[in-house]
Amino acid sequence: MSTNHPAQGAAAEASGGDAPDARQLRTILIAVSIALMAVIASVSGLNVAQTHMAVEFGASQNTVLWIINIYTLALAALLLPLGAIGDRMGRKPMLIAGLGFFGAASVAAGLAPTAEVMLAARVAGGIGAAMIMPITLAVITSTFPEEQRGKAIGVWTGVAGGGGILGMFLSALLVDVADWRWLFVLPVVLVIVALAMTLKSVPNSREHSAHSFDTVGALVSTVAVVGLIFVLQEGPERGWTAPATLISLAVGLVAAVGFVAWELRRRDASLLDVRLFRERGLAGGSITLLVVFGVQAGIAVVLFPFFQAVLGWSGLLSTVALMPMAVMMMMASGLAPKLASRIGSRSTMAVGIALAAVALALMAVFVSVDGGYLSVLPGMLAMGIGMGLSMTPSTEAITGSLPREKQGVASALNDVTREFGTALGVAMLGALLSAGYRSAIDDRLHGIPQGPADTAREGIANAVEVAGSAGSHAQDLVHAAQQSFVDGWQQAMWAGVAVMGALFVCIALRGPKNAAPAAADEAEATEAVAAR
């Protein structure tokens, strides 16, 4: 069963105009990249303002975490349904509506007088983001010619991968120089620019389907994603055996199984044809993105406390320290299509995965309290390159596996995979780090007063905060916490190496095949038709 349908010319066919020229294509790419940046920056931006929100709203830590996480939850839950609606309704109208809704939600969040209003605004923001995110990639795959699509997807994946770190840096800068509410000015400005460019330059494209919209599949998929993402977000906080966690896990798994059964029954009329996962492209691309984004998110969980609690850096400086990894990731994402055209998509993905595994090993071997930033910088640079090389061909493999009329769904699947990977990486690597820290610090607290010692077991930030009450043992307590954190770091990194190693074997044996020959054959056929 072949499902690699070319998306070239979809926009022109749907809008009735000529294919966009090179200048318009650049403008389209800039417009969708700015829209994507607004969405990605809002995922991580509020992390730097947790203390400020807690004080201003008088909110608990759990409420603050919900303000941050509920945006991602709404975004992930609605990606598939809204991506499919965008295919039917028209991608340009959906993008315009999403930008307007997202911008209004960002204004409401910036002006929110209470935590309850902030929560509602963040839910609305997540809905708007779910309208925007899959459409940005679908516009690229349905508008750009085959020979230029890989490069455009490389830019998109670079923004998707590095945009979160850049957004976090700008957010930390705004919090330091202004007020935390200014965090919402950035996405509003990006939305205004993207909206103006979209109205002027982005062509519309829509697909006509002979089948009715899969409402049941949309609802069941939403329940499945909400249940499983909730488990990954709340499990570390509530406990993996807490009733809410177990109930959510059961609901998510039952809904996921029900979704697969329903989609198999609907077959060609389904929201997502799950039979396509038998193919190397869709399966390999999805697994790679799941793991790569999981590792990226998990590394951020490890790096930030290392910079702040071990090295004593500010939030802004800690964010700046991540920029080399983001820059390398964005550069490698742009170079990946050229490499894939020479050695093939599967080989490019394998090289990227191998580099990411080497990066994790470097960070595990060389990290130290005394070595500071330089002990982790080589691993960060290698990780940025590895992620950039693996993300672009993975995204192409996913979008190329679904037909043109399903590009919104293909893009949404790509985004859902990213969100699941991110939540999974934070939960798993974070848990490994915490377990390694607690295990290591127990043997280093001899002689420390009982009260400060018990607090120090909760985490390195708690240890640094309580050290002042340990009297003459303050320095010993801080040193014990720092060394224990490094031990936990190494445990998490080696687990990441094992996961990346397994992924490398999987992709090397069953990764997507190189699409370059097929693309060349298609180009030759097009030229032959034109010559006639």
Side-chain angles (χ1 to χ4, degrees):
M1 178 177 60
S2 176
T3 57
N4 191 5
H5 298 271
Q8 182 177 351
E13 293 168 6
S15 61
D18 296 329
D21 57 22
R23 182 176 180 180
Q24 186 180 359
L25 288 175
R26 283 195 299 271
T27 305
I28 293 169
L29 183 57
I30 293 172
V32 297
S33 296
I34 292 174
L36 178 64
M37 176 65 77
V39 171
I40 296 297
S42 296
V43 172
S44 56
L46 277 185
N47 283 320
V48 301
Q50 294 187 41
T51 303
H52 302 276
M53 288 190 294
V55 171
E56 184 156 338
F57 292 140
S60 66
Q61 178 64 21
N62 187 57
T63 300
V64 170
L65 289 176
W66 264 110
I67 290 174
I68 294 171
N69 290 336
I70 203 166
Y71 171 86
T72 307
L73 190 65
L75 167 62
L78 296 174
L79 280 168
L80 276 176
L82 292 179
I85 291 173
D87 285 334
R88 290 168 174 260
M89 185 180 80
R91 295 173 184 119
K92 182 173 182 176
M94 177 64 89
L95 182 56
I96 292 171
L99 287 167
F101 198 74
F102 180 81
S106 297
V107 171
L111 300 175
T114 64
E116 290 75 18
V117 174
M118 174 65 85
L119 281 166
R122 290 288 284 174
V123 171
I127 296 172
M131 298 168 71
I132 295 169
M133 197 170 182
I135 299 304
T136 58
L137 183 55
V139 166
I140 291 175
T141 57
S142 63
T143 303
F144 277 73
E146 180 75 24
E147 64 273 11
Q148 299 180 42
R149 197 177 306 142
K151 184 177 180 180
I153 290 176
V155 173
W156 187 93
T157 55
V159 173
I165 296 175
L166 180 59
M168 200 180 301
F169 163 70
L170 294 174
S171 299
L173 181 62
L174 285 171
V175 169
D176 275 15
V177 304
D179 184 80
W180 72 270
R181 291 185 180 272
W182 282 81
L183 293 176
F184 297 99
V185 173
L186 175 62
V188 170
V189 170
L190 292 173
V191 161
I192 292 172
V193 174
L195 188 57
M197 297 182 71
T198 298
L199 288 169
K200 181 179 179 180
S201 302
V202 175
N204 188 26
S205 62
R206 58 178 297 185
E207 308 299 340
H208 300 281
S209 175
H211 307 284
S212 61
F213 181 72
D214 185 7
T215 305
V216 173
L219 292 175
V220 176
S221 72
T222 300
V223 173
V225 173
V226 168
L228 296 176
I229 291 288
F230 180 88
V231 170
L232 295 173
Q233 287 182 344
E234 294 295 306
E237 185 72 19
R238 296 172 180 259
W240 296 106
T241 57
T245 305
L246 295 177
I247 292 172
S248 181
L249 178 61
V251 170
L253 290 176
V254 169
V257 172
F259 175 74
V260 172
W262 176 259
E263 298 304 280
L264 287 172
R265 179 183 176 184
R266 291 270 297 186
R267 300 179 70 84
D268 293 335
S270 61
L271 180 71
L272 173 64
D273 189 352
V274 295
R275 294 172 298 171
L276 296 176
F277 282 97
R278 299 170 183 167
E279 295 197 359
R280 291 186 176 190
L282 190 61
S286 298
I287 293 172
T288 300
L289 285 183
L290 180 78
V291 174
V292 167
F293 274 95
V295 169
Q296 179 195 21
I299 285 177
V301 169
V302 172
L303 283 173
F304 262 100
F306 178 75
F307 292 149
Q308 293 179 303
V310 176
L311 303 185
W313 291 359
S314 66
L316 179 59
L317 184 57
S318 299
T319 308
V320 172
L322 289 174
M323 293 303 291
M325 184 169 68
V327 170
M328 297 306 295
M329 187 191 313
M330 297 177 81
M331 291 176 60
S333 295
L335 293 173
K338 295 181 180 179
L339 184 61
S341 67
R342 294 193 176 196
I343 67 174
S345 299
R346 177 167 57 179
S347 299
T348 303
M349 291 167 63
V351 169
I353 293 165
L355 275 174
V358 170
L360 292 167
L362 287 173
M363 285 191 276
V365 171
F366 294 110
V367 64
S368 69
V369 177
D370 296 333
Y373 183 60
L374 292 179
S375 69
V376 299
L377 182 59
M380 290 173 57
L381 295 175
M383 178 58 66
I385 298 172
M387 288 190 294
L389 291 179
S390 57
M391 286 190 301
T392 301
S394 299
T395 299
E396 280 195 273
I398 293 174
T399 57
S401 295
L402 272 74
R404 184 177 66 193
E405 65 271 14
K406 292 280 190 178
Q407 283 306 295
V409 175
S411 305
L413 177 62
N414 175 81
D415 299 333
V416 169
T417 303
R418 287 165 31 89
E419 297 303 328
F420 264 117
T422 298
L424 185 62
V426 170
M428 300 307 295
L429 289 185
L432 286 170
L433 174 65
S434 298
Y437 170 85
R438 287 192 297 269
S439 175
I441 200 170
D442 280 336
D443 295 331
R444 295 189 171 110
L445 293 176
H446 301 298
I448 306 295
Q450 186 66 34
D454 290 340
T455 303
R457 289 186 177 90
E458 298 175 8
I460 187 170
N462 306 79
V464 173
E465 185 177 352
V466 81
S469 64
S472 60
H473 298 284
Q475 189 58 42
D476 293 335
L477 179 59
V478 170
H479 181 71
Q482 291 175 335
Q483 291 295 335
S484 299
F485 180 86
V486 168
D487 289 346
W489 165 304
Q490 291 173 321
Q491 179 173 312
M493 292 301 100
W494 285 122
V497 170
V499 171
M500 296 304 284
L503 177 62
F504 176 83
V505 173
C506 176
I507 295 302
L509 296 178
R510 294 288 301 172
K513 296 178 180 178
N514 182 22
D521 292 342
E522 182 183 333
E524 291 175 2
T526 302
E527 291 174 2
V529 171
R532 293 175 187 172

